Amino acid sequence: MPDSASPLAAPSASPQSLKGLAPFLRPHRGRIFLAMLFLTLAAVTTLVLPLALRALIDNGFMPGDPDQRVMALRGHFLALFGVGLALGVFSALRYYSVTWLGERITTDLKRAVYSHVLRQSPEFFERTQTGEVLSRLTGDTTLIQTVVGSSLSMGLRNVIMGLGALVMLVITNPYVMAQVLGILVLVVLPATVYGRRVRKLSRNSQDRLADASAIAAEVLNAIPVVQSHTAEGREATRFGNSAEDAFSTGVRRIRARAVLVAFIISATAGALLFGLYQGTQSVIEGRITAGHMSQTVVYVILLITSVAALSEVYGEVLRAAGATERLMELLSTKSVIQAPAIARTLPARQGGASVKLDHIGFNYPSRPNQAALRDVSLTVNPGETVALVGPSGAGKTTVFQLLLRFYDVQSGRIELDGVSIQDLSLDSLRDRIGIVPQDSTVFSSSAMDNIRYGRPEATDDEVMAAAKAAHAHDFISQLPEGYQTFLGERGVRLSGGQRQRISIARAILKDAPLLLLDEATSALDTESERAVQAALQAAMQHRTTLVIAHRLSTVINADRIAVMDKGHLIDVGTHAQLMARCALYARLASAQFDDQAA
């Protein structure tokens, strides 16, 4: 459940929320017209049925020649069969049309929401649980599919049949139906008031289901941590409590809907039976025929069943309205990181990029009172390798996140090749940057696809060359299907070092002017580290490289080393220079090299 600061917090839904689906319905106006046409024809055909039945009763059993009566009965039954055949055809066409619409619209909606979420800034994911988003993508879209592809068409058909039956009853029995309509008004008013409670419970029910999904997603993504702390029982209990909370809310919603349905059906049936009773008196008194009475009975049944069906559909519509509102909230969420309306383009450059941090000040949105960077200025020349070192929390990774424009600085300016990164499109900026993160991400696909991820158009030979440079070719070749081997979810079939080398090969293949290495060899053993360091040195040729490293031995030969502490840039220089003049760097270096000697 999002907290009060969540961008997804929202009030309870109403049927008006379904208007949010309009942009997804608009491209399919032709299909919608056909669906409405077939729906109307099916409903009208159903309304014709009582008229054919009345003709059968009044004319098929009239005194006269037996042969003529038989022929008349055949004609009336053929007419009834024709009505039934038309009803079957129109109903089938209606079903296909509306079901197609339901599938198409929910598919478009899923694609739009997922694409929109992928472009949100990290700040969005700091405030929103992944399970909440997944719940909306799956559970909410399923509800909408049910309503658009089934319930809504049933509701519209029953509206047409109910109104048609009501009109016919008013035409044939105006005085009696005037009394009935007066009673029905008294039914609608309390049902509308009580319906607000059902709407609120429908929204709450969806939110509780999202809570349970969020817990499950979080725990399943951290199974090794959960099991290593023997927390399976605790986590199962936590999920169970959340699921029970969702169940309890669902029961309250079901109970409220049951009361609403019972009231509507009972009150409507009572009102219509009163009208039917009045009709039987008219037959006894000879004011209408038996066929007229049969027609009235069928129309009353159609009206009652339509109202009963509408009461059920209304509950589904309320749930779909809540689901639609939740999805529209996602679609209306604006990323705080926006590209300019007219983006500048970077000049073509062979080799590395230039980077300039000019008096940068930055606080994370989740920690507005704690500065992550304070007045940091640093210039990196094309082709230069600069290492960022310092204690944990010094602000090193923050520099990388700002360069990638995951966040915007509160003060100062960041330039790439002389252009402010805020003047560039996000795609243009990030295409010029390759990164090897500390926690390597491997997708649930083949080794070939994983390395090619940053450059989809690369050939197989180029992928293999990158893998060889990252010293990943040998272990990939030994996999059951080589480069086509499925690596499992999050690369579970690989060791940490192997995942890291896949990530390094991906960055080498991208061949971006600016390379960011965030503890790129942290998961490697000493022998592999030496090999990969050599590969990285080759990849860094003619490229600008920023390196974050806690092990100073890996950056001792960098062109320059920038020492950071508590968000400040303390000093910049070579290893020898910093050992002579920077107390913090000397202390870090001495501690590490002494440990290695020991």
Side-chain angles (χ1 to χ4, degrees):
M1 175 70 180
D3 58 26
S4 58
S6 170
L8 303 183
S12 58
S14 72
Q16 296 296 319
S17 300
L18 291 173
K19 290 181 179 179
L21 296 177
F24 299 93
L25 293 167
R26 202 170 293 122
H28 308 294
R29 289 188 290 267
R31 291 270 188 173
I32 294 173
F33 172 78
L34 287 176
M36 292 298 297
L37 176 63
F38 296 139
L39 184 150
T40 302
L41 290 173
V44 170
T45 305
T46 304
L47 291 171
V48 170
L49 192 61
L51 297 176
L53 181 63
R54 175 181 177 179
L56 172 66
I57 294 173
D58 285 347
N59 300 324
F61 297 100
M62 294 196 55
D65 183 84
D67 292 335
Q68 291 181 347
R69 288 207 305 273
V70 169
M71 293 301 294
L73 282 172
R74 286 177 181 175
H76 288 300
F77 274 107
L78 284 173
L80 281 170
F81 175 75
V83 173
L85 181 62
L87 178 60
V89 172
F90 293 141
S91 296
L93 292 172
R94 172 198 64 82
Y95 170 78
Y96 175 81
S97 300
V98 298
T99 304
W100 185 94
L101 280 170
E103 295 281 353
R104 179 72 267 168
I105 289 166
T106 51
T107 299
D108 293 344
L109 187 58
K110 284 180 181 179
R111 292 177 60 184
V113 172
Y114 187 69
S115 177
H116 185 74
V117 168
L118 288 180
R119 295 191 174 275
Q120 294 301 306
S121 67
E123 181 180 350
F124 172 86
F125 296 99
E126 286 180 9
R127 301 165 59 190
T128 307
Q129 291 177 303
T130 303
E132 167 78 5
V133 176
L134 294 177
S135 172
R136 299 189 183 204
L137 274 172
T138 53
D140 289 356
T141 52
T142 299
L143 276 176
I144 291 172
Q145 180 178 340
T146 300
V147 170
V148 175
S150 176
S151 301
L152 197 57
S153 71
M154 288 178 58
L156 292 172
R157 185 186 64 178
N158 281 289
V159 166
I160 296 173
M161 288 197 305
L163 289 175
L166 187 59
V167 168
M168 294 302 297
L169 288 170
V170 170
I171 291 173
T172 54
N173 298 283
Y175 176 72
V176 173
M177 289 310 299
Q179 295 175 307
V180 172
L181 287 176
I183 298 173
L184 288 177
V185 169
L186 298 178
V187 173
V188 170
L189 290 177
T192 302
V193 174
Y194 192 75
R196 295 174 184 171
R197 172 176 170 77
V198 178
R199 288 198 300 271
K200 182 178 180 180
L201 289 172
S202 295
R203 174 58 192 254
N204 289 342
S205 178
Q206 289 301 108
D207 287 341
R208 298 293 79 72
L209 288 172
D211 292 345
S213 296
I215 291 173
E218 180 182 41
V219 172
L220 291 177
N221 283 329
I223 280 295
V225 177
V226 173
Q227 293 179 344
S228 66
H229 289 81
T230 63
E232 298 95 329
R234 297 199 306 273
E235 292 298 348
T237 300
R238 187 161 71 102
F239 177 80
N241 291 338
S242 182
E244 286 297 324
D245 191 18
F247 171 74
S248 300
T249 306
V251 168
R252 290 197 297 273
R253 172 183 58 80
I254 294 168
R255 187 185 301 120
R257 276 191 61 187
V259 171
L260 182 62
V261 169
F263 172 75
I264 292 176
I265 294 178
S266 301
T268 303
L272 294 177
L273 287 173
F274 169 76
L276 189 59
Y277 172 76
Q278 297 291 342
T280 58
Q281 299 304 308
S282 298
V283 174
I284 294 172
E285 295 170 4
R287 294 199 299 272
I288 60 175
T289 64
H292 189 167
M293 180 61 192
S294 299
Q295 171 189 299
T296 301
V297 169
V298 176
Y299 279 132
V300 167
I301 292 172
L302 285 176
L303 185 53
I304 291 177
T305 54
S306 295
V307 172
L310 284 173
S311 65
E312 288 287 334
V313 168
Y314 186 61
E316 293 298 323
V317 168
L318 289 178
R319 294 189 69 195
T324 300
E325 183 174 281
R326 286 157 52 89
L327 289 169
M328 291 307 108
E329 289 163 16
L330 274 179
L331 283 174
S332 63
T333 301
K334 300 296 184 184
S335 174
V336 296
I337 305 299
Q338 294 288 335
I342 302 177
R344 294 183 60 182
T345 58
L346 288 169
R349 176 182 289 277
Q350 296 295 325
S354 66
V355 176
K356 182 178 181 181
L357 309 180
D358 187 12
H359 298 286
I360 297 303
F362 174 71
N363 297 44
Y364 282 101
S366 58
R367 304 187 295 275
N369 298 321
Q370 180 181 349
L373 293 177
R374 309 166 189 262
D375 195 30
V376 173
S377 295
L378 178 66
T379 299
V380 183
N381 299 315
E384 189 177 20
T385 297
V386 175
L388 303 179
V389 302
S392 297
K396 304 183 297 295
T397 300
T398 301
V399 171
F400 280 17
Q401 292 180 323
L402 294 177
L403 281 170
L404 287 160
R405 210 179 161 212
F406 291 159
Y407 301 91
D408 277 338
V409 297
Q410 279 87 42
S411 62
R413 175 185 173 93
I414 300 177
E415 294 181 0
L416 182 65
D417 286 334
V419 179
S420 171
I421 63 173
Q422 293 188 347
D423 293 336
L424 299 170
S425 71
L426 294 176
D427 289 346
S428 176
L429 169 67
R430 293 167 184 172
D431 280 345
R432 310 243 328 177
I433 301 175
I435 184 169
V436 180
Q438 182 174 1
D439 297 321
S440 296
T441 298
V442 174
F443 297 96
S444 54
S445 59
S446 68
M448 180 73 73
D449 289 340
N450 264 282
I451 297 174
R452 189 183 274 136
Y453 191 79
R455 190 176 152 208
E457 73 281 3
T459 64
D460 289 357
D461 289 341
E462 290 173 325
V463 170
M464 292 180 185
K468 290 175 181 176
H471 289 254
H473 177 74
D474 290 344
F475 81 79
I476 293 175
S477 300
Q478 294 172 8
L479 294 173
E481 297 176 41
Y483 279 83
Q484 300 304 322
T485 302
F486 177 71
L487 301 182
E489 185 177 4
R490 291 179 287 118
V492 293
R493 295 186 176 185
L494 303 179
S495 68
Q498 290 172 333
R499 288 196 296 270
Q500 196 79 325
R501 277 179 275 176
I502 290 284
S503 184
I504 292 170
R506 184 186 299 154
I508 291 174
L509 180 65
K510 187 176 181 181
D511 196 24
L514 176 59
L515 184 60
L516 306 181
L517 305 177
D518 187 356
E519 293 286 346
T521 59
S522 61
L524 304 179
D525 55 54
T526 303
E527 182 178 352
S528 296
E529 181 183 1
R530 291 196 187 101
V532 173
Q533 281 290 351
L536 286 174
Q537 288 295 327
M540 290 155 52
Q541 290 291 328
H542 310 297
R543 295 289 178 269
T544 302
T545 308
L546 288 176
V547 185
I548 293 176
H550 286 102
R551 285 186 288 184
L552 302 185
S553 59
T554 62
V555 297
I556 197 169
N557 294 319
D559 295 321
R560 286 186 296 156
I561 300 172
V563 184
M564 301 187 67
D565 187 30
K566 298 179 181 178
H568 293 281
L569 182 61
I570 303 299
D571 202 350
V572 181
T574 63
H575 170 71
Q577 291 170 340
L578 294 173
M579 286 294 291
R581 71 185 185 211
C582 181
L584 174 60
Y585 182 83
R587 187 169 66 251
L588 293 173
S590 298
Q592 289 191 23
F593 296 144
D594 288 347
D595 288 343
Q596 291 175 7

